[in-house]
Amino acid sequence: DAGVTQSPTHLIKTRGQHVTLRCSPISGHKSVSWYQQVLGQGPQFIFQYYEKEERGRGNFPDRFSARQFPNYSSELNVNALLLGDSALYLCASSPARYGEQYFGPGTRLTVT
Amino acid sequence: AQSVAQPEDQVNVAEGNPLTVKCTYSVSGNPYLFWYVQYPNRGLQFLLKYITGDNLVKGSYGFEAEFNKSQTSFHLKKPSALVSDSALYFCAVRDGSSGGYNKLIFGAGTRLAVHP
């Protein structure tokens, strides 16, 4: 079975630009969560979506937004990029609202 | 506030020896505890979890973890380390009263280096 997939793998953007990251959950999983992992740190929770509704939001500015589509895939959008947004962005899916989360390989975003 | 601490940045162990990676937590409700492993340029792989029940939890790849409520610890262990176990290990907690969403709080990670 395919695991969580994310695209693109790597991305280089300039300060002030906008970026969209995509995630496809494991088949049958209805919950998608997004995490930001800065180099040398553990992942930080950004959002959880379950059944296409936002269920939780971490301590991130409004420049960060997300949505979940009817097929349960998800997009993370970041506006007005800052250098500090450079990180590995991880998507995780779970079959239900709670439970263990299965992570994708991540998207490495570099902001210059 | 909920938090997770991994007191060791790096753990070095010889192949074949037992290994322990330490984790302590602080939550306001019942703790749901997890261990994940991250290999270079890869996402996190789920190893094991503690929700309730036996304090010794068995997981993938021969790993196990011991939950100790009085010490608020959830240390990861393996009886005999392999060189292929070398990776970055993360402990995470979800507060059982987190307000309706599946937020994991991660520690800073411990790099495990297993030497031949």
Side-chain angles (χ1 to χ4, degrees), chain A residues 85-99:
Chain A
D85 295 331
S86 295
L88 180 67
Y89 288 85
L90 296 165
C91 172
S93 74
S94 56
R97 188 167 176 173
Y98 303 106

Side-chain angles (χ1 to χ4, degrees), chain B residues 13-28:
Chain B
V13 64
E15 187 175 30
N17 283 1
L19 69 88
T20 298
V21 182
K22 296 179 180 178
C23 172
T24 59
Y25 65 90
S26 174
V27 297
S28 56

Side-chain angles (χ1 to χ4, degrees), chain B residues 13-20 61-64 77-85 112 114:
Chain B
V13 64
E15 187 175 30
N17 283 1
L19 69 88
T20 298
Y61 313 118
F63 284 93
E64 57 190 25
K77 300 181 179 184
K78 188 174 183 182
S80 179
L82 301 172
V83 172
S84 58
D85 292 330
L112 174 65
V114 182

Side-chain angles (χ1 to χ4, degrees), chain A residues 33 35 37 40-43 45 48 55-57 88 90 94 96-105, chain B residues 34 36 38 41-46 49 88 90 94 98-109:
Chain A
S33 297
Y35 291 81
Q37 186 180 13
Q41 298 181 17
F45 174 81
Q48 183 196 8
R55 302 294 180 169
R57 183 186 183 108
L88 180 67
L90 296 165
S94 56
R97 188 167 176 173
Y98 303 106
E100 62 263 32
Q101 298 177 37
Y102 297 87
F103 285 80
Chain B
F34 304 82
Y36 286 84
Q38 187 174 37
N41 301 315
R42 301 278 295 276
L44 277 68
Q45 295 180 30
F46 170 77
K49 67 179 178 182
L88 190 56
F90 290 98
R94 181 172 77 81
S98 64
Y101 58 96
N102 200 10
K103 172 184 175 181
L104 291 178
I105 298 168
F106 286 86

Side-chain angles (χ1 to χ4, degrees), chain B:
Chain B
Q2 304 95 320
S3 66
V4 174
Q6 293 182 244
E8 303 155 316
D9 291 336
Q10 180 153 332
V11 170
N12 297 295
V13 64
E15 187 175 30
N17 283 1
L19 69 88
T20 298
V21 182
K22 296 179 180 178
C23 172
T24 59
Y25 65 90
S26 174
V27 297
S28 56
N30 293 320
Y32 295 169
L33 295 156
F34 304 82
W35 276 101
Y36 286 84
V37 60
Q38 187 174 37
Y39 294 96
N41 301 315
R42 301 278 295 276
L44 277 68
Q45 295 180 30
F46 170 77
L47 281 179
L48 50 81
K49 67 179 178 182
Y50 172 84
I51 304 297
T52 186
D54 289 341
N55 290 341
L56 187 62
V57 179
K58 295 190 181 297
S60 305
Y61 313 118
F63 284 93
E64 57 190 25
E66 185 172 9
F67 172 68
N68 187 316
K69 186 173 183 178
S70 62
Q71 297 185 4
T72 61
S73 66
F74 189 56
H75 300 332
L76 181 70
K77 300 181 179 184
K78 188 174 183 182
S80 179
L82 301 172
V83 172
S84 58
D85 292 330
S86 299
L88 190 56
Y89 289 81
F90 290 98
C91 180
V93 65
R94 181 172 77 81
D95 188 343
S97 58
S98 64
Y101 58 96
N102 200 10
K103 172 184 175 181
L104 291 178
I105 298 168
F106 286 86
T110 298
R111 186 164 301 282
L112 174 65
V114 182
H115 304 285

